[in-house]
Amino acid sequence: MNIRDQFNYNSMEGSDDKLMYAEQVSLPELAREVGTPLYVYSSEALIERYKAIAKTNPNGLICYSVKANGNISVIRTLAQHGAGADVVSGGELYRALQAGVSPEKIVFAGVGKTEDEMGAALDANIFQINIESEPELEQLNSVALNRGTTAPVAVRVNPDVDANTHNKIATGRSGDKFGVPYEKAIHLYKKIESLKGVKATGLATHIGSQLTDLEPFEMAFSKISQLACNLKSKGHQIENIDFGGGLGIRYSSEDEPSLLHYASIVSKAASAAGCRIILEPGRWITAPAGILLTRVIYVKRTEARNFAIVDCAMNDFMRPALYDAWHEIKPVIQTKESPDKETVDVVGPICESGDFLAHDRDLPPLAPGNLLAILNTGAYGASMSSHYNSRIPASEVLVKKKKWSIIRKNSSIEAFVADENIAEWLTE
Ligand code: LLP
């Protein structure tokens, strides 16, 4: 796989310093024009990565997992190159449709779809709804009957395979809340036959996220293919298998999983089952296509540690606080005479010790005003941001060659509190 990195250093005219660029746009320029903290995404990286992963499933469908990065311009960039969408809420469905994803390429996953969300999915005429329990199947049946329609469904099966990833993002073990047990699936397909509001179109699974070891995929996909064959032999309609997402990336020292190997596992399972395959990659496409640009506010050197206090925080980017995730941090301006490194914790201004971006990093000695780029933040960055500490989360910019566009402008504190209402008894 030969995907170019789109965040590179280039020399500055008349100076020995080097500046980091996103494609052909310099990050200091973006920081000056738009302000920090700021997510910056590269169109080229999104497109190249989408095309590369699409090759692993040439006869099937790639439904980009919107939860990784739900910005409408990001989804549209991928949709223009053929991507469908995997959505898990009415909000994500709305985004995918606004982005122009065609409904016949949308699958609706998730463990707890409400009646309204089911209704919205049916009204939009999407390709498939993946159900995860018997009560959810019954609910979908009645929502469809009320609308005089039939819902296309796949049952998400929990194959009881440990994805060998972070505990909080493993989803395919029998004790996880996702899917139905393997044995129960047969019963559910029988039930689908007896209900008038639902019809089986496929089978689904998803065992977890950030898998760099491909063996768990192999185990799960082969179990699910066998189940598909078994169901087909009983006369059930299983045209598609949705293998979910989960392909990991290299954040630090992990082994970069091989796309070719992944493709061979997918295609082996596809031919064993004789089904069309749906994949739902999120992170693999968007994570390396984005950086989070932040500015140092203060540097605090103490006996115990050195802290670079920056203007982004866990509300902008939660992965370190939530999963102890490691993300590479680079200075945006590299000076020629890079002095000795200094070990620092890069932390945000939020009032919790859990609010950190990195611990114990060796960086050139930092000073207020310096810009840093936090890498691989195009997935599960902006989409997981919050307003904690009444902070306004980072804006987002999309770059295309020399062009850039603000694709989400963070709102003001006035706009944020405008949704609040003062209880009437407090106004008397
Ligand atoms: N399909 C389903 C049903 C999923 O639950 C997920 C992710 C995906 C696809 C996409 O997985 P990906 O290809 O991105 O690994 N916030 C966490 C990741 C949570 C993943 C949840 N489900 C993180 O920052 O690591």
PDB file of all heavy atoms in Angstrom, residues 65 67-68 86 88 109-110 132 156 168-169 171 178 205-206 208-211 244-248 251 280-284 319 322-323 379-380 384, ligand 1:
ATOM      1  N   SER A  65     -18.242   4.250   8.077  1.00  0.00           N
ATOM      2  CA  SER A  65     -18.860   4.340   9.397  1.00  0.00           C
ATOM      3  C   SER A  65     -18.838   5.797   9.873  1.00  0.00           C
ATOM      4  O   SER A  65     -17.806   6.320  10.298  1.00  0.00           O
ATOM      5  CB  SER A  65     -18.101   3.436  10.376  1.00  0.00           C
ATOM      6  OG  SER A  65     -18.862   3.279  11.540  1.00  0.00           O
ATOM      7  N   LYS A  67     -19.778   7.374  12.373  1.00  0.00           N
ATOM      8  CA  LYS A  67     -19.413   7.733  13.750  1.00  0.00           C
ATOM      9  C   LYS A  67     -17.947   8.170  13.854  1.00  0.00           C
ATOM     10  O   LYS A  67     -17.587   8.915  14.740  1.00  0.00           O
ATOM     11  CB  LYS A  67     -19.702   6.583  14.721  1.00  0.00           C
ATOM     12  CG  LYS A  67     -18.871   5.339  14.455  1.00  0.00           C
ATOM     13  CD  LYS A  67     -19.102   4.269  15.493  1.00  0.00           C
ATOM     14  CE  LYS A  67     -20.369   3.493  15.283  1.00  0.00           C
ATOM     15  NZ  LYS A  67     -20.402   2.699  14.020  1.00  0.00           N
ATOM     16  N   ALA A  68     -17.108   7.688  12.940  1.00  0.00           N
ATOM     17  CA  ALA A  68     -15.687   8.036  13.017  1.00  0.00           C
ATOM     18  C   ALA A  68     -15.480   9.526  12.759  1.00  0.00           C
ATOM     19  O   ALA A  68     -14.678  10.176  13.445  1.00  0.00           O
ATOM     20  CB  ALA A  68     -14.882   7.208  12.015  1.00  0.00           C
ATOM     21  N   ASP A  86     -22.563   3.661   7.027  1.00  0.00           N
ATOM     22  CA  ASP A  86     -23.074   2.895   8.173  1.00  0.00           C
ATOM     23  C   ASP A  86     -23.460   3.936   9.209  1.00  0.00           C
ATOM     24  O   ASP A  86     -22.620   4.726   9.629  1.00  0.00           O
ATOM     25  CB  ASP A  86     -21.961   1.963   8.666  1.00  0.00           C
ATOM     26  CG  ASP A  86     -21.954   1.737  10.170  1.00  0.00           C
ATOM     27  OD1 ASP A  86     -23.036   1.522  10.741  1.00  0.00           O
ATOM     28  OD2 ASP A  86     -20.862   1.753  10.776  1.00  0.00           O
ATOM     29  N   VAL A  88     -25.718   4.918  12.908  1.00  0.00           N
ATOM     30  CA  VAL A  88     -26.195   4.282  14.143  1.00  0.00           C
ATOM     31  C   VAL A  88     -27.170   5.163  14.917  1.00  0.00           C
ATOM     32  O   VAL A  88     -27.445   4.890  16.086  1.00  0.00           O
ATOM     33  CB  VAL A  88     -25.022   3.898  15.076  1.00  0.00           C
ATOM     34  CG1 VAL A  88     -24.215   2.766  14.489  1.00  0.00           C
ATOM     35  CG2 VAL A  88     -24.135   5.081  15.377  1.00  0.00           C
ATOM     36  N   ALA A 109     -27.039   0.432  11.775  1.00  0.00           N
ATOM     37  CA  ALA A 109     -26.603  -0.515  12.805  1.00  0.00           C
ATOM     38  C   ALA A 109     -26.921   0.068  14.179  1.00  0.00           C
ATOM     39  O   ALA A 109     -27.540   1.131  14.276  1.00  0.00           O
ATOM     40  CB  ALA A 109     -25.117  -0.774  12.640  1.00  0.00           C
ATOM     41  N   GLY A 110     -26.503  -0.607  15.224  1.00  0.00           N
ATOM     42  CA  GLY A 110     -26.687  -0.055  16.570  1.00  0.00           C
ATOM     43  C   GLY A 110     -27.629  -0.893  17.405  1.00  0.00           C
ATOM     44  O   GLY A 110     -28.577  -1.483  16.902  1.00  0.00           O
ATOM     45  N   GLU A 132     -30.481  -6.241  16.579  1.00  0.00           N
ATOM     46  CA  GLU A 132     -29.565  -6.852  17.554  1.00  0.00           C
ATOM     47  C   GLU A 132     -30.270  -7.599  18.673  1.00  0.00           C
ATOM     48  O   GLU A 132     -29.631  -8.043  19.628  1.00  0.00           O
ATOM     49  CB  GLU A 132     -28.636  -5.784  18.135  1.00  0.00           C
ATOM     50  CG  GLU A 132     -27.803  -5.073  17.083  1.00  0.00           C
ATOM     51  CD  GLU A 132     -26.471  -4.568  17.598  1.00  0.00           C
ATOM     52  OE1 GLU A 132     -25.969  -5.075  18.615  1.00  0.00           O
ATOM     53  OE2 GLU A 132     -25.939  -3.650  16.971  1.00  0.00           O
ATOM     54  N   ARG A 156     -27.641  -9.024  13.528  1.00  0.00           N
ATOM     55  CA  ARG A 156     -26.229  -8.935  13.910  1.00  0.00           C
ATOM     56  C   ARG A 156     -25.926 -10.047  14.908  1.00  0.00           C
ATOM     57  O   ARG A 156     -26.565 -10.138  15.963  1.00  0.00           O
ATOM     58  CB  ARG A 156     -25.906  -7.578  14.529  1.00  0.00           C
ATOM     59  CG  ARG A 156     -24.509  -7.537  15.132  1.00  0.00           C
ATOM     60  CD  ARG A 156     -24.040  -6.154  15.374  1.00  0.00           C
ATOM     61  NE  ARG A 156     -22.841  -6.107  16.198  1.00  0.00           N
ATOM     62  CZ  ARG A 156     -22.288  -4.983  16.618  1.00  0.00           C
ATOM     63  NH1 ARG A 156     -22.826  -3.832  16.296  1.00  0.00           N
ATOM     64  NH2 ARG A 156     -21.209  -5.011  17.363  1.00  0.00           N
ATOM     65  N   LYS A 168     -12.606  -1.402  25.916  1.00  0.00           N
ATOM     66  CA  LYS A 168     -13.806  -0.566  25.713  1.00  0.00           C
ATOM     67  C   LYS A 168     -14.297  -0.565  24.276  1.00  0.00           C
ATOM     68  O   LYS A 168     -15.371  -0.042  24.000  1.00  0.00           O
ATOM     69  CB  LYS A 168     -13.505   0.884  26.129  1.00  0.00           C
ATOM     70  CG  LYS A 168     -13.426   1.062  27.636  1.00  0.00           C
ATOM     71  CD  LYS A 168     -13.279   2.504  28.022  1.00  0.00           C
ATOM     72  CE  LYS A 168     -13.174   2.619  29.536  1.00  0.00           C
ATOM     73  NZ  LYS A 168     -12.671   3.926  29.955  1.00  0.00           N
ATOM     74  N   ILE A 169     -13.516  -1.089  23.354  1.00  0.00           N
ATOM     75  CA  ILE A 169     -13.974  -1.086  21.960  1.00  0.00           C
ATOM     76  C   ILE A 169     -13.993  -2.489  21.347  1.00  0.00           C
ATOM     77  O   ILE A 169     -14.031  -2.652  20.144  1.00  0.00           O
ATOM     78  CB  ILE A 169     -13.147  -0.093  21.093  1.00  0.00           C
ATOM     79  CG1 ILE A 169     -11.639  -0.338  21.211  1.00  0.00           C
ATOM     80  CG2 ILE A 169     -13.471   1.343  21.470  1.00  0.00           C
ATOM     81  CD1 ILE A 169     -10.790   0.557  20.308  1.00  0.00           C
ATOM     82  N   THR A 171     -16.285  -5.738  20.825  1.00  0.00           N
ATOM     83  CA  THR A 171     -17.754  -5.870  20.809  1.00  0.00           C
ATOM     84  C   THR A 171     -18.241  -7.282  20.483  1.00  0.00           C
ATOM     85  O   THR A 171     -19.435  -7.521  20.453  1.00  0.00           O
ATOM     86  CB  THR A 171     -18.356  -4.926  19.739  1.00  0.00           C
ATOM     87  OG1 THR A 171     -17.724  -5.223  18.481  1.00  0.00           O
ATOM     88  CG2 THR A 171     -18.127  -3.473  20.063  1.00  0.00           C
ATOM     89  N   PHE A 178     -23.549  -6.421  22.392  1.00  0.00           N
ATOM     90  CA  PHE A 178     -23.895  -6.365  20.974  1.00  0.00           C
ATOM     91  C   PHE A 178     -24.338  -7.696  20.382  1.00  0.00           C
ATOM     92  O   PHE A 178     -23.838  -8.753  20.747  1.00  0.00           O
ATOM     93  CB  PHE A 178     -22.697  -5.850  20.175  1.00  0.00           C
ATOM     94  CG  PHE A 178     -22.286  -4.474  20.609  1.00  0.00           C
ATOM     95  CD1 PHE A 178     -21.248  -4.301  21.513  1.00  0.00           C
ATOM     96  CD2 PHE A 178     -22.968  -3.364  20.157  1.00  0.00           C
ATOM     97  CE1 PHE A 178     -20.881  -3.036  21.929  1.00  0.00           C
ATOM     98  CE2 PHE A 178     -22.616  -2.094  20.561  1.00  0.00           C
ATOM     99  CZ  PHE A 178     -21.572  -1.929  21.463  1.00  0.00           C
ATOM    100  N   THR A 205     -22.194  -8.765  11.451  1.00  0.00           N
ATOM    101  CA  THR A 205     -21.396  -8.889  12.666  1.00  0.00           C
ATOM    102  C   THR A 205     -20.447  -7.687  12.734  1.00  0.00           C
ATOM    103  O   THR A 205     -20.323  -6.929  11.766  1.00  0.00           O
ATOM    104  CB  THR A 205     -20.602 -10.220  12.699  1.00  0.00           C
ATOM    105  OG1 THR A 205     -20.126 -10.454  14.029  1.00  0.00           O
ATOM    106  CG2 THR A 205     -19.390 -10.193  11.754  1.00  0.00           C
ATOM    107  N   HIS A 206     -19.844  -7.478  13.878  1.00  0.00           N
ATOM    108  CA  HIS A 206     -18.790  -6.456  14.039  1.00  0.00           C
ATOM    109  C   HIS A 206     -18.124  -6.791  15.365  1.00  0.00           C
ATOM    110  O   HIS A 206     -18.776  -6.780  16.403  1.00  0.00           O
ATOM    111  CB  HIS A 206     -19.392  -5.046  14.071  1.00  0.00           C
ATOM    112  CG  HIS A 206     -18.393  -3.997  14.492  1.00  0.00           C
ATOM    113  ND1 HIS A 206     -17.426  -3.510  13.643  1.00  0.00           N
ATOM    114  CD2 HIS A 206     -18.183  -3.374  15.674  1.00  0.00           C
ATOM    115  CE1 HIS A 206     -16.684  -2.619  14.288  1.00  0.00           C
ATOM    116  NE2 HIS A 206     -17.121  -2.524  15.527  1.00  0.00           N
ATOM    117  N   GLY A 208     -15.249  -5.435  16.817  1.00  0.00           N
ATOM    118  CA  GLY A 208     -14.513  -4.436  17.594  1.00  0.00           C
ATOM    119  C   GLY A 208     -13.767  -3.486  16.686  1.00  0.00           C
ATOM    120  O   GLY A 208     -13.830  -3.598  15.459  1.00  0.00           O
ATOM    121  N   SER A 209     -13.062  -2.557  17.309  1.00  0.00           N
ATOM    122  CA  SER A 209     -12.399  -1.488  16.571  1.00  0.00           C
ATOM    123  C   SER A 209     -10.900  -1.494  16.878  1.00  0.00           C
ATOM    124  O   SER A 209     -10.483  -2.001  17.921  1.00  0.00           O
ATOM    125  CB  SER A 209     -13.031  -0.169  17.014  1.00  0.00           C
ATOM    126  OG  SER A 209     -12.679   0.891  16.186  1.00  0.00           O
ATOM    127  N   GLN A 210     -10.122  -0.896  15.959  1.00  0.00           N
ATOM    128  CA  GLN A 210      -8.659  -0.811  16.107  1.00  0.00           C
ATOM    129  C   GLN A 210      -8.046  -2.212  16.271  1.00  0.00           C
ATOM    130  O   GLN A 210      -7.255  -2.480  17.178  1.00  0.00           O
ATOM    131  CB  GLN A 210      -8.281   0.159  17.254  1.00  0.00           C
ATOM    132  CG  GLN A 210      -6.794   0.365  17.536  1.00  0.00           C
ATOM    133  CD  GLN A 210      -5.977   0.808  16.300  1.00  0.00           C
ATOM    134  OE1 GLN A 210      -6.523   1.162  15.274  1.00  0.00           O
ATOM    135  NE2 GLN A 210      -4.669   0.767  16.404  1.00  0.00           N
ATOM    136  N   LEU A 211      -8.407  -3.119  15.347  1.00  0.00           N
ATOM    137  CA  LEU A 211      -7.782  -4.442  15.331  1.00  0.00           C
ATOM    138  C   LEU A 211      -6.531  -4.360  14.460  1.00  0.00           C
ATOM    139  O   LEU A 211      -6.607  -3.992  13.287  1.00  0.00           O
ATOM    140  CB  LEU A 211      -8.705  -5.495  14.712  1.00  0.00           C
ATOM    141  CG  LEU A 211      -9.736  -6.145  15.643  1.00  0.00           C
ATOM    142  CD1 LEU A 211     -10.901  -5.207  15.877  1.00  0.00           C
ATOM    143  CD2 LEU A 211     -10.228  -7.448  15.053  1.00  0.00           C
ATOM    144  N   GLY A 244     -18.946  -5.581   9.240  1.00  0.00           N
ATOM    145  CA  GLY A 244     -18.645  -4.460  10.124  1.00  0.00           C
ATOM    146  C   GLY A 244     -17.331  -3.775   9.760  1.00  0.00           C
ATOM    147  O   GLY A 244     -16.793  -3.951   8.663  1.00  0.00           O
ATOM    148  N   GLY A 245     -16.822  -3.002  10.705  1.00  0.00           N
ATOM    149  CA  GLY A 245     -15.566  -2.271  10.469  1.00  0.00           C
ATOM    150  C   GLY A 245     -14.482  -2.843  11.348  1.00  0.00           C
ATOM    151  O   GLY A 245     -14.444  -4.047  11.602  1.00  0.00           O
ATOM    152  N   GLY A 246     -13.585  -1.977  11.828  1.00  0.00           N
ATOM    153  CA  GLY A 246     -12.642  -2.417  12.851  1.00  0.00           C
ATOM    154  C   GLY A 246     -11.190  -2.469  12.456  1.00  0.00           C
ATOM    155  O   GLY A 246     -10.325  -2.660  13.320  1.00  0.00           O
ATOM    156  N   LEU A 247     -10.879  -2.328  11.165  1.00  0.00           N
ATOM    157  CA  LEU A 247      -9.474  -2.428  10.763  1.00  0.00           C
ATOM    158  C   LEU A 247      -8.673  -1.300  11.413  1.00  0.00           C
ATOM    159  O   LEU A 247      -9.042  -0.134  11.323  1.00  0.00           O
ATOM    160  CB  LEU A 247      -9.375  -2.362   9.235  1.00  0.00           C
ATOM    161  CG  LEU A 247      -8.007  -2.706   8.651  1.00  0.00           C
ATOM    162  CD1 LEU A 247      -7.620  -4.146   8.972  1.00  0.00           C
ATOM    163  CD2 LEU A 247      -8.006  -2.488   7.148  1.00  0.00           C
ATOM    164  N   GLY A 248      -7.574  -1.695  12.060  1.00  0.00           N
ATOM    165  CA  GLY A 248      -6.818  -0.721  12.848  1.00  0.00           C
ATOM    166  C   GLY A 248      -5.749   0.004  12.047  1.00  0.00           C
ATOM    167  O   GLY A 248      -5.435  -0.357  10.912  1.00  0.00           O
ATOM    168  N   TYR A 251      -0.849   3.817  15.328  1.00  0.00           N
ATOM    169  CA  TYR A 251      -0.760   5.081  16.065  1.00  0.00           C
ATOM    170  C   TYR A 251       0.661   5.287  16.591  1.00  0.00           C
ATOM    171  O   TYR A 251       1.167   6.377  16.604  1.00  0.00           O
ATOM    172  CB  TYR A 251      -1.721   5.090  17.257  1.00  0.00           C
ATOM    173  CG  TYR A 251      -3.174   5.300  16.896  1.00  0.00           C
ATOM    174  CD1 TYR A 251      -4.076   4.240  16.914  1.00  0.00           C
ATOM    175  CD2 TYR A 251      -3.654   6.561  16.554  1.00  0.00           C
ATOM    176  CE1 TYR A 251      -5.408   4.430  16.597  1.00  0.00           C
ATOM    177  CE2 TYR A 251      -4.988   6.763  16.235  1.00  0.00           C
ATOM    178  CZ  TYR A 251      -5.863   5.688  16.264  1.00  0.00           C
ATOM    179  OH  TYR A 251      -7.181   5.884  15.943  1.00  0.00           O
ATOM    180  N   GLU A 280     -17.745  -1.925   6.880  1.00  0.00           N
ATOM    181  CA  GLU A 280     -18.090  -0.635   7.497  1.00  0.00           C
ATOM    182  C   GLU A 280     -16.850   0.025   8.114  1.00  0.00           C
ATOM    183  O   GLU A 280     -16.811   0.270   9.321  1.00  0.00           O
ATOM    184  CB  GLU A 280     -19.127  -0.857   8.609  1.00  0.00           C
ATOM    185  CG  GLU A 280     -20.425  -1.494   8.171  1.00  0.00           C
ATOM    186  CD  GLU A 280     -21.346  -1.820   9.349  1.00  0.00           C
ATOM    187  OE1 GLU A 280     -20.904  -1.791  10.520  1.00  0.00           O
ATOM    188  OE2 GLU A 280     -22.521  -2.114   9.097  1.00  0.00           O
ATOM    189  N   PRO A 281     -15.842   0.320   7.319  1.00  0.00           N
ATOM    190  CA  PRO A 281     -14.648   0.933   7.915  1.00  0.00           C
ATOM    191  C   PRO A 281     -14.886   2.391   8.300  1.00  0.00           C
ATOM    192  O   PRO A 281     -15.579   3.119   7.593  1.00  0.00           O
ATOM    193  CB  PRO A 281     -13.617   0.854   6.777  1.00  0.00           C
ATOM    194  CG  PRO A 281     -14.438   0.882   5.527  1.00  0.00           C
ATOM    195  CD  PRO A 281     -15.735   0.188   5.863  1.00  0.00           C
ATOM    196  N   GLY A 282     -14.311   2.786   9.414  1.00  0.00           N
ATOM    197  CA  GLY A 282     -14.390   4.181   9.839  1.00  0.00           C
ATOM    198  C   GLY A 282     -12.995   4.713  10.026  1.00  0.00           C
ATOM    199  O   GLY A 282     -12.438   5.424   9.195  1.00  0.00           O
ATOM    200  N   ARG A 283     -12.383   4.288  11.147  1.00  0.00           N
ATOM    201  CA  ARG A 283     -11.063   4.776  11.536  1.00  0.00           C
ATOM    202  C   ARG A 283     -10.021   4.672  10.414  1.00  0.00           C
ATOM    203  O   ARG A 283      -9.257   5.595  10.199  1.00  0.00           O
ATOM    204  CB  ARG A 283     -10.585   3.963  12.740  1.00  0.00           C
ATOM    205  CG  ARG A 283      -9.245   4.367  13.279  1.00  0.00           C
ATOM    206  CD  ARG A 283      -8.705   3.329  14.267  1.00  0.00           C
ATOM    207  NE  ARG A 283      -9.689   2.810  15.166  1.00  0.00           N
ATOM    208  CZ  ARG A 283      -9.931   3.264  16.397  1.00  0.00           C
ATOM    209  NH1 ARG A 283      -9.232   4.278  16.851  1.00  0.00           N
ATOM    210  NH2 ARG A 283     -10.854   2.701  17.155  1.00  0.00           N
ATOM    211  N   TRP A 284     -10.003   3.514   9.747  1.00  0.00           N
ATOM    212  CA  TRP A 284      -8.926   3.287   8.782  1.00  0.00           C
ATOM    213  C   TRP A 284      -8.934   4.370   7.700  1.00  0.00           C
ATOM    214  O   TRP A 284      -7.888   4.795   7.223  1.00  0.00           O
ATOM    215  CB  TRP A 284      -9.047   1.886   8.146  1.00  0.00           C
ATOM    216  CG  TRP A 284      -7.752   1.473   7.508  1.00  0.00           C
ATOM    217  CD1 TRP A 284      -6.731   0.797   8.094  1.00  0.00           C
ATOM    218  CD2 TRP A 284      -7.310   1.790   6.179  1.00  0.00           C
ATOM    219  NE1 TRP A 284      -5.683   0.662   7.213  1.00  0.00           N
ATOM    220  CE2 TRP A 284      -6.014   1.258   6.031  1.00  0.00           C
ATOM    221  CE3 TRP A 284      -7.885   2.455   5.095  1.00  0.00           C
ATOM    222  CZ2 TRP A 284      -5.283   1.362   4.856  1.00  0.00           C
ATOM    223  CZ3 TRP A 284      -7.149   2.583   3.923  1.00  0.00           C
ATOM    224  CH2 TRP A 284      -5.870   2.034   3.825  1.00  0.00           C
ATOM    225  N   ARG A 319      -9.876  10.873  23.162  1.00  0.00           N
ATOM    226  CA  ARG A 319      -9.285   9.525  23.138  1.00  0.00           C
ATOM    227  C   ARG A 319      -8.215   9.303  24.214  1.00  0.00           C
ATOM    228  O   ARG A 319      -8.230   8.255  24.864  1.00  0.00           O
ATOM    229  CB  ARG A 319      -8.735   9.168  21.743  1.00  0.00           C
ATOM    230  CG  ARG A 319      -9.801   9.154  20.649  1.00  0.00           C
ATOM    231  CD  ARG A 319      -9.339   8.450  19.379  1.00  0.00           C
ATOM    232  NE  ARG A 319      -9.358   7.011  19.537  1.00  0.00           N
ATOM    233  CZ  ARG A 319      -8.286   6.262  19.640  1.00  0.00           C
ATOM    234  NH1 ARG A 319      -7.090   6.801  19.548  1.00  0.00           N
ATOM    235  NH2 ARG A 319      -8.393   4.963  19.817  1.00  0.00           N
ATOM    236  N   LEU A 322     -10.073   8.954  27.557  1.00  0.00           N
ATOM    237  CA  LEU A 322     -10.999   7.819  27.630  1.00  0.00           C
ATOM    238  C   LEU A 322     -10.318   6.462  27.508  1.00  0.00           C
ATOM    239  O   LEU A 322     -10.711   5.507  28.161  1.00  0.00           O
ATOM    240  CB  LEU A 322     -12.041   7.993  26.510  1.00  0.00           C
ATOM    241  CG  LEU A 322     -13.368   7.282  26.624  1.00  0.00           C
ATOM    242  CD1 LEU A 322     -14.036   7.580  27.954  1.00  0.00           C
ATOM    243  CD2 LEU A 322     -14.287   7.712  25.486  1.00  0.00           C
ATOM    244  N   TYR A 323      -9.339   6.387  26.612  1.00  0.00           N
ATOM    245  CA  TYR A 323      -8.725   5.070  26.365  1.00  0.00           C
ATOM    246  C   TYR A 323      -7.221   5.062  26.636  1.00  0.00           C
ATOM    247  O   TYR A 323      -6.539   4.122  26.223  1.00  0.00           O
ATOM    248  CB  TYR A 323      -8.902   4.660  24.891  1.00  0.00           C
ATOM    249  CG  TYR A 323     -10.265   4.877  24.302  1.00  0.00           C
ATOM    250  CD1 TYR A 323     -10.468   5.831  23.316  1.00  0.00           C
ATOM    251  CD2 TYR A 323     -11.362   4.112  24.705  1.00  0.00           C
ATOM    252  CE1 TYR A 323     -11.723   6.028  22.744  1.00  0.00           C
ATOM    253  CE2 TYR A 323     -12.615   4.306  24.144  1.00  0.00           C
ATOM    254  CZ  TYR A 323     -12.786   5.269  23.172  1.00  0.00           C
ATOM    255  OH  TYR A 323     -14.013   5.456  22.612  1.00  0.00           O
ATOM    256  N   ALA A 379     -10.286  10.499  12.997  1.00  0.00           N
ATOM    257  CA  ALA A 379     -11.380   9.605  13.404  1.00  0.00           C
ATOM    258  C   ALA A 379     -11.565   9.681  14.908  1.00  0.00           C
ATOM    259  O   ALA A 379     -10.577   9.717  15.659  1.00  0.00           O
ATOM    260  CB  ALA A 379     -11.076   8.158  13.019  1.00  0.00           C
ATOM    261  N   TYR A 380     -12.791   9.688  15.333  1.00  0.00           N
ATOM    262  CA  TYR A 380     -13.138   9.715  16.760  1.00  0.00           C
ATOM    263  C   TYR A 380     -12.495  10.917  17.461  1.00  0.00           C
ATOM    264  O   TYR A 380     -12.067  10.825  18.605  1.00  0.00           O
ATOM    265  CB  TYR A 380     -12.774   8.387  17.434  1.00  0.00           C
ATOM    266  CG  TYR A 380     -13.414   7.207  16.720  1.00  0.00           C
ATOM    267  CD1 TYR A 380     -12.668   6.268  16.014  1.00  0.00           C
ATOM    268  CD2 TYR A 380     -14.803   7.070  16.718  1.00  0.00           C
ATOM    269  CE1 TYR A 380     -13.277   5.222  15.325  1.00  0.00           C
ATOM    270  CE2 TYR A 380     -15.422   6.021  16.032  1.00  0.00           C
ATOM    271  CZ  TYR A 380     -14.648   5.113  15.346  1.00  0.00           C
ATOM    272  OH  TYR A 380     -15.266   4.094  14.671  1.00  0.00           O
ATOM    273  N   MET A 384     -16.436  12.976  18.657  1.00  0.00           N
ATOM    274  CA  MET A 384     -16.645  12.679  20.084  1.00  0.00           C
ATOM    275  C   MET A 384     -16.466  13.923  20.953  1.00  0.00           C
ATOM    276  O   MET A 384     -16.367  13.810  22.178  1.00  0.00           O
ATOM    277  CB  MET A 384     -15.655  11.596  20.531  1.00  0.00           C
ATOM    278  CG  MET A 384     -15.977  10.231  19.945  1.00  0.00           C
ATOM    279  SD  MET A 384     -14.712   8.999  20.331  1.00  0.00           S
ATOM    280  CE  MET A 384     -14.962   8.771  22.076  1.00  0.00           C
TER     281      MET A 384
HETATM  282  N1  LLP B   1     -19.548  -0.837  12.426  1.00  0.00           N
HETATM  283  C1  LLP B   1     -20.018  -0.914  13.684  1.00  0.00           C
HETATM  284  C2  LLP B   1     -21.238  -1.674  13.947  1.00  0.00           C
HETATM  285  C3  LLP B   1     -19.326  -0.280  14.724  1.00  0.00           C
HETATM  286  O1  LLP B   1     -19.786  -0.362  15.971  1.00  0.00           O
HETATM  287  C4  LLP B   1     -18.136   0.441  14.445  1.00  0.00           C
HETATM  288  C5  LLP B   1     -17.396   1.131  15.512  1.00  0.00           C
HETATM  289  C6  LLP B   1     -17.700   0.513  13.107  1.00  0.00           C
HETATM  290  C7  LLP B   1     -18.421  -0.151  12.138  1.00  0.00           C
HETATM  291  C8  LLP B   1     -16.466   1.273  12.690  1.00  0.00           C
HETATM  292  O2  LLP B   1     -15.333   0.775  13.286  1.00  0.00           O
HETATM  293  P1  LLP B   1     -13.873   1.293  12.839  1.00  0.00           P
HETATM  294  O3  LLP B   1     -13.650   0.834  11.416  1.00  0.00           O
HETATM  295  O4  LLP B   1     -13.864   2.768  12.937  1.00  0.00           O
HETATM  296  O5  LLP B   1     -12.968   0.651  13.813  1.00  0.00           O
HETATM  297  N2  LLP B   1     -14.415   5.727  19.927  1.00  0.00           N
HETATM  298  C9  LLP B   1     -13.534   4.587  19.771  1.00  0.00           C
HETATM  299  C10 LLP B   1     -13.975   3.675  18.653  1.00  0.00           C
HETATM  300  C11 LLP B   1     -15.386   3.163  18.804  1.00  0.00           C
HETATM  301  C12 LLP B   1     -15.814   2.264  17.690  1.00  0.00           C
HETATM  302  C13 LLP B   1     -17.264   1.956  17.803  1.00  0.00           C
HETATM  303  N3  LLP B   1     -17.799   1.188  16.718  1.00  0.00           N
HETATM  304  C14 LLP B   1     -12.102   5.070  19.579  1.00  0.00           C
HETATM  305  O6  LLP B   1     -11.862   6.295  19.577  1.00  0.00           O
HETATM  306  O7  LLP B   1     -11.191   4.264  19.493  1.00  0.00           O
END
